[in-house]
Every structure is written in structure tokens, then in C-alpha cells.
Amino acid sequence: MEKIESFEQYQQIHKKSVENPEEFWAEIASTYSWKKQWDNVLDWEFDTPDVKWFQGGTLNITENLLDRHLASRGNKLALIWEPNDPKEKFVRYTYKELHEKVCQFANVLKNNGAKKGDRICIYMPMIPDLAIAVMACARIGAVHSVVFAGFSAHALSDRINDAACNIVITSDGLFRGAKEIPVKRVVDEALNTCDTVDKVIVAERVGWMPNMVEGRDVWLHDELEKADKYCEAEEMNAEDPLFILYTSGSTGKPKGIMHTCGGYMVYAGYSFKQVFQYDESDIYWCTADIGWITGHTYIVYGPLLNGATTVMFEGVPTFPDAGRFWQVVDKYGVNQFYTAPTAIRALMAHGVDHVLSYSLDSLKVLGSVGEPINEEAWNWYHIHVGKERCPIVDTWWQTETGGIMISGLGSSSPMKPAHAGYPLPGIQPVLLDKDGNEIEENGVEGYLAVKHPWPSMLRTIWGDHNRCQKTYFSHYNGYYFTGDGAKRDENGMYRIIGRVDDVINVSGHRFGTAEIENAINRNEKVVESAVVGYPHEIKGQGIYAYVVCSDVESDEEILKAEIIETVVEEIGKIAKPEKIQIVPNLPKTRSGKIMRRILRKIAEGDTSSLGDTSTLLDPDVVEKIKEGAKLLE
Ligand code: PRX
């Protein structure tokens, strides 16, 4: 697979990919190893939707991640693991070693009753066993469902039940910065309300002695001792599921986004290579957690498909101090560094001295993902980290897209602060007006949609294809709708504005407002609530909750603490509202619809232009909410 090395070359390749997508993708797919060649490159329609890539082809993605590299890169480093505490020893695996680890773990799964097609939930900290567990599932054709280890027992149990998982892989506990968290205890609590799980495999990380349920729970290290070091890779159809990953939408429960073996592989590998312009001897580091899509595609799958050396980091950017990222970059000589704007903003707040203490000479490409990067953060990243010599790739994509859709390609594309830029080859984004008409010209703004399938697009929502159709394919006929609004400048570069639905993006993590409201409403003192996002200096958006309580006599601070506690129990600490305002009522239209527009304005602190409030059932309530909001500032 050749790298695109100039903007002219990019333009030619993109043009070719639009004129003949099937030929384009077949050529890329043929650079991977398949057990059996496909019959059809693509069958599709976006109404139902029904999208199939490389039908008839069979493969196992782990043979492409590992076995394929053994002859030429067996002794090359595949994975470097940097622990939370810099004083602890790091771990390094060559391709040969990683292959053996994955095979052995795959045998542990088999020995514990796992079969092709089973769903296996992985709820683990960022330790090497997490990456190995993901690949071990893929090796035997089981579908992994990784749940970020910051979610609560309740959220975990919902996800286990939704996918009917029969095995959970976890750890005794985890280290995050100065904290130690009992992970296994969360699993135990979750399993009180799950009846499909018959085995829990526990990796040792912190050295605690968790409660081990006889007949159900086993230690990974004991199981590994009994497991063979070779495991044949299961033959999978291109369209067989590879994994499920839950993400939030504007309504209802989180959705299990399903990706398939063949198409996901082709796109993960291709996009990694082009965006990061990876060279054979480079060291690449993505700071995400494997619990999110960024970690799936750009810590595990994309880099290893390319035979790259990928760094996996257990810790946080500010532990033991705000120079940690840069210390690790220098320690390993990292060439490509991929992080989120929220981390950049948090580090900016600690001052530039932490960056200036390190050389950062090895860096070649910097990446950003998860949320719009504001110009100030972009400039700081560019000047202080990239020393104005490293291109920044601002990568726009989603859990649903499987891989990066709009982004610069290393230094082969022009860059502009806060602009994601141009679509990758094979990607056909469009801007639509509110009636669903494509806006052809440049210098415009619209709803961001995609008009042709790409190999790593979601195929369905696990167990609810109808919801998949309704969420992504029914707003605008014949298009995949992203839920984002975007601008296209005079030169055709895209700038993502943000969500146009009721999804809030907090530190690059998605939450549905309805999901947080449902959590808040479970507190028995709460009558109803409305959640909106507001601009937050570090997190991008913060969560602002307006809550109507039955017990108005209670101490407000205690009430608020209880509400936060409920959200932490229902979803996890990551969804904690920053601001809670107890209000006498919510602004509603006569038909009972909450006027979120008004609540958003008040949360933003912009109360001068609330628009027409005369259609409200009780216009006075707006004044009361405005007064209360001032007290929160
Ligand atoms: O609103 C967009 C924002 O994150 C959403 C997708 O979130 P998730 O599925 O959790 O995946 C995040 C990591 C790929 C998008 O709908 N988003 C993601 N990347 C960017 C972005 N917004 C602006 N610029 C980006 N580079």
C-alpha cells in the first residue's frame, strides 16, 4: 500500500475513488491476506440499509495483524506499554511475542467455552491484556464488546445484557493517576442483573484479592498456564461481525454499533497509513483508551495491520505531572502522536514549561480527535509541541464510521487551524440543506452526510436494525446522516461545527441528553429534568442539568450531591453534570415540549436573545431560571 505523498496525488486518487469505488477498494483490499478471495466488492442500498463489502471473501483479521508480519517483522516491536506510574517497568512485545500471547489467550477463551459468534464483554484498564484480549476474541471469531472501565455497574450490565455476552474479561483493579479503582467489584455488581454470563476471566493488575465466585470466576494467569501457545485462526466471512461498541445517541439507550471483519480491516489499515504517514521504523502513539473507537482503530487494529510499533498508555496526562505525555514521547522517540483537544487544553492550563523541558525532536505528525479543536489549542499544539514543523491532522470521524473520514494526510495536505480538511480517498461527504438537498458550492454550511458506502461503516445497531435505519438513514433519503453540522470553506476544506442533535460531547466523549436525564430522573426526589451542553474551557462542552424536585424544602447542596450520586451510579463519573440548577419548573410549550433552545442559551450565559417566549405555557418561569442561573456562575 503506497503512501500518498502530495496534494496533487491525493486529488487524483480521490477522484479515481469516486469514479470507480469498487475498483479502488478492491485494489486496497488485495494488499491484505484473505483465506478466500471475495466474489463481489460491494452490494448496497441505503434505504433499509443493506451494505455488504467483499462478499464471499473469508479471512481472519488477526492473521493480518500478526501472522502476516512474522516472516519479515517477527522481531520488530509491535506493542510498547507504558504504565501509569513512570517508576514501574514498561512492557514490550515483538510481533512474534504478541502473536504467541494472542494465541494463548485465544486458547484460554476456548478452554472456557467460547465459540465463534459468542459475544465477549471486555471491561479492563489499559494494560497489555486488554489489547491481547481484543485480538484473542477476533482470533476465535468471537465478537468483542469493550466497555470503557469508567462506566458504572449499571451501565456495564445494560451493555452485557443488550449483547447477551457469555464471558466477561476484567481485572482485579486499575491505576489511574494517583487513584486505585476496584474494577472486579464493579463487574460483580453488574452481574447481579445479568444472567447470560457463565465465565469471568480476571487479569491481575493491582494485586488485590477480589471475591472469586466458584465455578464462574477464573484467574487469567492460572488459565494461561494451561493454554497452548498456538491457536489456528477461525475462518470468518467478510461480513461476519468483528465487534460491537456502544455509543450514545440523542434518544434512548446507548446503541451497540456493529462492525464487520473484512471492511473494517481494509479501512482501518488504509486510513492509518495515509493519515499518519507511517514509515517502517516509526514509533506511533495514540493516547486514547481502547474502551472508545479511537483506541480500537488507532491503537490496536490500524497500527498492527501496518506492522507498526504502537504505544499503549495506562495513565493520565497530568500524572505525576503535566509533562508526562512529553516525557513518554522522548522516552520512546515517538514519531506520530495522536490525542484529543481536551487533553491539549488541560495541559495548556498547566503552562508551557512542562513541554519545554523535553526535546520532542522525534515528532513528525500530530493528530487531534474527538471534538472540534479551537484555534487557541491548535496553535499551542502546533507551536509548542510540533515546533511549527509537524503537520497537525485534525481527524473527524465517529464510532459509526469505524475510521477517520475527513482529515489531513500528514504533510501531504494543506492544513488550516480548526479545519479537519478534505475527505480521505473513497469517502464522499456532502453538505445538505434542511430539505435534504446537496449544497454543491463552497463557502457554505450544512448538515454533514455521506452519500456512498465506505468499507468500515457500521452495518447495524446490535439487535435493532430498525433503529439503525431510523437514526442514520431516514433523515435524508439515500444518505448516511452523521448528526454533525459542518462548514466548507472556499477551498473545499471542511470545518466541523458540532452536533446538531441532542448529543453532548464532553472531553471527546458522547452522551445523549436523554440518557443523562433518565439517570437523573431515577433519583426519587426528582420530578423531571432537562440536560443541555454549554461551552466548557477544558472539556469542550460541559453538562448543565436543570432539575425540578419534589422536595423543595431540602438543602439544595445535599439534593445536588444526591443527584450527582445517581448519575455516577447509573452511567459513571464521566457523565457527572458540572452544573445543576434546581428550578421550579421547565419552560414548556403549550403542547408540553421542553424549550431546550432557551435552556441552552441560559446555560451559555447568553440571556439577551432568548427569542419569543410568549408561546410558553408559563413565560414567568424563564425569568426565575435566569435569576437562578446567575447564582451558579
Ligand atoms: O461531533 C463529532 C465529534 O465526535 C463525534 C463522534 O463521537 P464518537 O463516536 O465518540 O467518536 C469520537 C472519536 C472518533 C462526531 O459526531 N468529533 C469527532 N472528531 C472530531 C469531532 N468534531 C470535530 N472535529 C473532529 N476532529
Side-chain angles (χ1 to χ4, degrees), residues 60-334:
N60 186 289
I61 195 168
T62 66
E63 290 189 330
N64 285 275
L65 296 164
L66 302 166
D67 306 55
R68 188 165 60 125
H69 306 304
L70 293 181
S72 59
R73 303 186 176 106
N75 294 321
K76 178 178 173 176
L77 283 183
L79 183 76
I80 300 176
W81 176 74
E82 170 69 14
N84 177 59
D85 183 345
K87 292 202 262 341
E88 192 181 335
K89 204 172 152 11
F90 58 88
V91 171
R92 304 194 296 189
Y93 292 129
T94 62
Y95 271 91
K96 209 158 137 254
E97 289 163 340
L98 191 59
H99 178 260
E100 198 176 287
K101 295 267 169 208
V102 169
C103 282
Q104 224 181 345
F105 203 134
N107 284 325
V108 167
L109 295 176
K110 280 185 172 175
N111 293 346
N112 280 280
K115 300 179 307 304
K116 177 175 177 171
D118 286 353
R119 274 81 54 212
I120 297 185
C121 176
I122 306 178
Y123 184 78
M124 279 182 120
M126 281 287 284
I127 55 176
D129 287 328
L130 166 56
I132 294 167
V134 161
M135 290 185 271
C137 290
R139 187 81 177 174
I140 64 165
V143 181
H144 57 78
S145 167
V146 183
V147 177
F148 172 64
F151 279 113
S152 69
H154 187 267
L156 173 62
S157 123
D158 272 355
R159 285 157 176 76
I160 293 173
N161 285 331
D162 187 76
C165 298
N166 56 346
I167 295 182
V168 177
I169 307 171
T170 188
S171 69
D172 51 355
L174 68 79
F175 297 119
R176 185 173 289 142
K179 293 188 208 132
E180 289 183 27
I181 297 163
V183 180
K184 171 67 164 56
R185 214 189 287 162
V186 181
V187 172
D188 287 340
E189 194 187 330
L191 293 188
N192 287 335
T193 46
C194 299
D195 54 18
T196 52
V197 174
D198 42 44
K199 274 277 151 40
V200 179
I201 300 172
V202 188
E204 186 177 354
R205 173 63 186 118
V206 295
W208 291 337
M209 187 38 84
N211 171 42
M212 298 290 279
V213 175
E214 179 85 40
R216 186 194 74 180
D217 302 353
V218 293
W219 283 107
L220 177 61
H221 52 254
D222 291 342
E223 295 302 298
L224 285 170
E225 265 176 34
K226 296 180 257 171
D228 207 71
K229 290 193 176 133
Y230 184 74
C231 174
E232 194 66 44
E234 191 71 36
E235 182 165 3
M236 306 298 287
N237 288 321
E239 282 295 319
D240 279 342
L242 172 65
F243 67 84
I244 304 169
L245 186 59
Y246 286 84
T247 191
S248 300
S250 45
T251 56
K253 286 193 315 185
K255 305 170 284 203
I257 304 299
M258 191 196 89
H259 286 287
T260 57
C261 297
Y264 177 82
M265 170 180 78
V266 169
Y267 198 76
Y270 180 73
S271 56
F272 172 80
K273 175 91 178 176
Q274 299 302 355
V275 169
F276 297 103
Q277 298 274 296
Y278 184 83
D279 281 323
E280 184 63 40
S281 56
D282 287 346
I283 309 282
Y284 160 89
W285 180 21
C286 166
T287 69
D289 191 293
I290 293 176
W292 311 108
I293 190 70
T294 307
H296 279 59
T297 311
Y298 298 111
I299 295 179
V300 182
Y301 286 110
L304 298 180
L305 284 166
N306 283 280
T309 304
T310 182
V311 177
M312 182 176 171
F313 176 46
E314 186 188 32
V316 295
T318 48
F319 179 81
D321 62 49
R324 186 69 191 280
F325 274 178
W326 322 124
Q327 176 249 328
V328 175
V329 167
D330 276 5
K331 178 172 176 185
Y332 299 116
V334 169

Side-chain angles (χ1 to χ4, degrees), residues 246-248 257 292-294 298 338 341 368-373 393-401 403-404 406 418-420 480 482-485 495-501 503 505 508-510:
Y246 286 84
T247 191
S248 300
I257 304 299
W292 311 108
I293 190 70
T294 307
Y298 298 111
Y338 190 28
S368 171
V369 62
E371 51 179 316
I373 178 163
V393 291
D394 176 0
T395 64
W396 173 82
W397 58 297
Q398 311 177 296
T399 306
E400 294 86 341
T401 68
I404 297 168
I406 301 180
H419 284 66
Y480 164 78
T482 65
D484 280 322
R495 173 181 194 149
I496 311 303
I497 302 166
R499 303 291 305 193
V500 292
D501 53 8
V503 168
N505 191 329
H509 302 144
R510 265 162 76 168

